[in-house]
Amino acid sequence: MQQPTSVSKHKHIVLTSHPGRSGAKPIPIRWGERDPLQRGPIIGTLGNAAHRNVIGTHSGSYAVYRALAIASGSLQSDHRADLTNTAPVVQIGPYPSWFAPQKIVSLDPFGAMVEEAYAEYYEQGYDIRPTIAITKAHITLPELQDCIAKGRLQIDGEILKSNGSLVVTKAAIDPVWYLPGIAQRLGVQESDLRRILFQQTGGMFPELVTRPDLQAFLPPIGGTTVYIIGDVADITDPNKPLAVRVHDECNGSDVFGSDICTCRPYLVHGIEVCIQTAQAGGAGAIVYLRKEGRALGEVTKFLVYNARKRQEGGDRADSYFTRTECVAGVQDMRCQELMPDILHWLGITRIDRLVSMSDMKYNAIVNSGIEVIERIPIPEDWIPEDAQVEIAAKKAAGYYTPDIVPDAAMLAEIKGRNLAD
């Protein structure tokens, strides 16, 4: 087989081992169209190469596990998903933001309704997979039980059940990148974006540079989960308050309770504020993104932990980000520019209570056109002792910390405003 030519630093790249396909063209994707049929389905199937109209394949990082299951003989390579009774339990959208190409570029807004929207394509044998699933659940956290015991949260039988469990609507979203929109969002040329994605993934996706006609990419990365507290319809009601916590994954703290950072305490505080806001007549949304260790990964994060604690003078706020840069080359790789897409998918235009002290998140949200009324920091008594270094470092680096934390009186004001409306 003829080997590909070397990749240069210039825009024009030629790979001779992957010639363009001839024959029928795949269904085009017209990003931003209102009619899902006009927009076109996202087809990452491996069963029929002629049907594929995206780069990559479904399931994100789990595609590799699928390959192992096929290799081991436990999964048939031609398996087609039976989507009977898998439709969303509640409908989200469509909203005007779905049809503004600049608002959503990193997910498919129609991803939860493909079986209905593309029924005629299913009848023709197209293998179209949902990229969004919506269901309901009860979640139980020991910290919420403590909030109930201390009187900060009230059992109401609908949002908080008598056993202290929280009723939520939750959505799982796999990434779907519209490359022209991603490039515009980042302020780079699409050709440069494609080349760098190709190079920095070790040439995993040759179509990035051989198929400019394919404009959507299913990247092999983690997705996003949204937990909605209260009535889903209230999220977009301008007369009802909305609380939001945008939270980036931290396995060590979120799951195992590591005390070197404030991630789980802040996550739980965000849930508490969302419950309070929902019980005051509004709604709350927790957006959980798989961006472990500021998108640097756990290995890098743990290396940085060691470097911080072993330096002369021990762990210090003034070297908190410096040690990260020494290991990773950058303080943060989360690319918050893409984060607001999930908020636009939810139809959010205003957030009354943003539970965050991060300027990066705040700026990304307001720059995307969403109004933020108030920002809420983590209460001082929720910060673990070993995490004081993190808080001091973030404050020194310019993270915003409001002077006033909303209290019961402010909640009562919000509730009163809602009742008046």
Side-chain angles (χ1 to χ4, degrees):
M1 181 176 71
Q2 188 177 10
Q3 296 299 313
T5 60
S6 60
V7 178
S8 71
K9 295 182 179 180
H10 302 292
K11 296 180 182 178
H12 301 291
I13 303 171
V14 178
L15 291 180
T16 56
S17 63
H18 294 274
R21 294 189 179 94
S22 59
K25 293 183 178 180
I27 298 169
I29 296 173
R30 302 179 181 91
W31 204 262
E33 285 285 348
R34 289 180 175 271
D35 183 345
L37 283 174
Q38 290 297 316
R39 203 292 307 271
I42 301 294
I43 308 175
T45 179
L46 299 175
N48 188 329
H51 287 177
R52 288 172 52 80
N53 64 357
V54 301
I55 302 165
T57 186
H58 291 296
S59 301
S61 57
Y62 293 98
V64 176
Y65 288 104
R66 183 176 65 221
L68 293 181
I70 292 172
S72 66
S74 61
L75 174 66
Q76 295 297 314
S77 61
D78 60 351
H79 171 72
R80 293 281 292 269
D82 180 355
L83 299 177
T84 304
N85 293 330
T86 63
V89 296
V90 297
Q91 182 171 323
I92 294 179
Y95 299 111
S97 52
W98 289 22
F99 318 121
Q102 74 279 8
K103 292 287 187 184
I104 299 178
V105 298
S106 62
L107 61 91
D108 175 14
F110 297 110
M113 55 179 68
V114 296
E115 191 176 13
E116 175 186 356
Y118 301 115
E120 64 180 62
Y121 285 119
Y122 279 105
E123 292 173 0
Q124 297 174 39
Y126 283 86
D127 183 13
I128 305 168
R129 307 289 177 93
T131 58
I132 300 175
I134 305 169
T135 190
K136 285 184 177 291
H138 290 191
I139 62 175
T140 303
L141 297 174
E143 293 94 335
L144 295 185
Q145 304 285 350
D146 185 58
C147 290
I148 294 169
K150 293 179 178 178
R152 295 205 307 270
L153 292 176
Q154 306 297 322
I155 299 292
D156 59 20
E158 294 185 6
I159 295 173
L160 274 179
K161 294 293 188 178
S162 58
N163 63 357
S165 64
L166 173 64
V167 179
V168 298
T169 301
K170 59 181 182 179
I173 301 98
D174 280 340
V176 177
W177 287 4
Y178 177 59
L179 293 174
I182 297 281
Q184 183 179 19
R185 186 79 60 86
L186 299 181
V188 300
Q189 293 294 319
E190 183 186 346
S191 56
D192 290 337
L193 174 65
R194 285 173 171 267
R195 170 178 56 81
I196 293 170
L197 283 171
F198 172 76
Q199 292 174 329
Q200 294 302 313
T201 55
M204 288 173 60
F205 302 98
E207 291 168 317
L208 285 167
V209 291
T210 63
R211 295 293 303 276
D213 59 309
L214 299 182
Q215 296 185 317
F217 176 41
L218 306 183
I221 60 175
T224 302
T225 309
V226 177
Y227 289 81
I228 299 169
I229 300 167
D231 192 330
V232 171
D234 290 344
I235 289 179
T236 56
D237 189 332
N239 297 316
K240 296 186 177 182
L242 174 66
V244 171
R245 165 69 183 166
V246 177
H247 189 91
D248 293 317
E249 177 185 29
C250 178
N251 183 65
S253 179
D254 295 343
V255 179
F256 294 101
S258 171
D259 66 351
I260 197 171
C261 64
T262 60
C263 294
R264 182 179 173 95
Y266 219 153
L267 174 61
V268 175
H269 179 55
I271 295 173
E272 179 186 12
V273 173
C274 286
I275 295 171
Q276 291 171 338
T277 306
Q279 290 184 329
I286 302 293
V287 178
Y288 194 91
L289 302 107
R290 271 39 176 230
K291 297 179 180 179
E292 179 66 56
R294 299 193 213 109
L296 303 172
E298 270 196 313
V299 170
T300 296
K301 182 166 71 171
F302 289 6
L303 294 174
V304 171
Y305 285 168
N306 288 343
R308 281 170 46 193
K309 291 180 177 292
R310 286 172 174 165
Q311 65 187 336
E312 185 177 353
D315 198 7
R316 307 190 312 273
D318 63 350
S319 59
Y320 178 90
F321 287 113
T322 302
R323 295 309 300 146
T324 303
E325 288 187 27
C326 289
V327 177
V330 66
Q331 292 182 7
D332 198 314
M333 286 200 303
R334 284 178 287 184
C335 192
Q336 299 291 8
E337 290 88 346
L338 302 180
M339 173 268 292
D341 287 25
I342 189 66
L343 304 178
H344 290 296
W345 176 69
L346 291 168
I348 294 172
T349 57
R350 188 194 71 212
I351 298 172
D352 295 271
R353 315 178 74 199
L354 177 64
V355 189
S356 174
M357 52 194 295
S358 166
D359 274 349
M360 290 179 64
K361 292 177 182 176
Y362 171 79
N363 290 336
I365 291 170
V366 297
N367 288 340
S368 77
I370 296 174
E371 181 184 11
V372 173
I373 306 301
E374 177 187 11
R375 300 168 67 180
I376 301 177
I378 185 172
E380 290 291 336
D381 59 352
W382 283 57
I383 302 172
E385 182 177 353
D386 205 28
Q388 293 291 342
V389 170
E390 176 202 40
I391 291 296
K394 288 183 175 180
K395 289 180 178 179
Y399 277 62
Y400 178 84
T401 306
D403 295 327
I404 300 176
V405 179
D407 54 16
M410 189 169 293
L411 277 174
E413 181 183 345
I414 291 174
K415 185 173 184 179
R417 187 181 70 221
N418 178 58
L419 292 175
D421 292 336

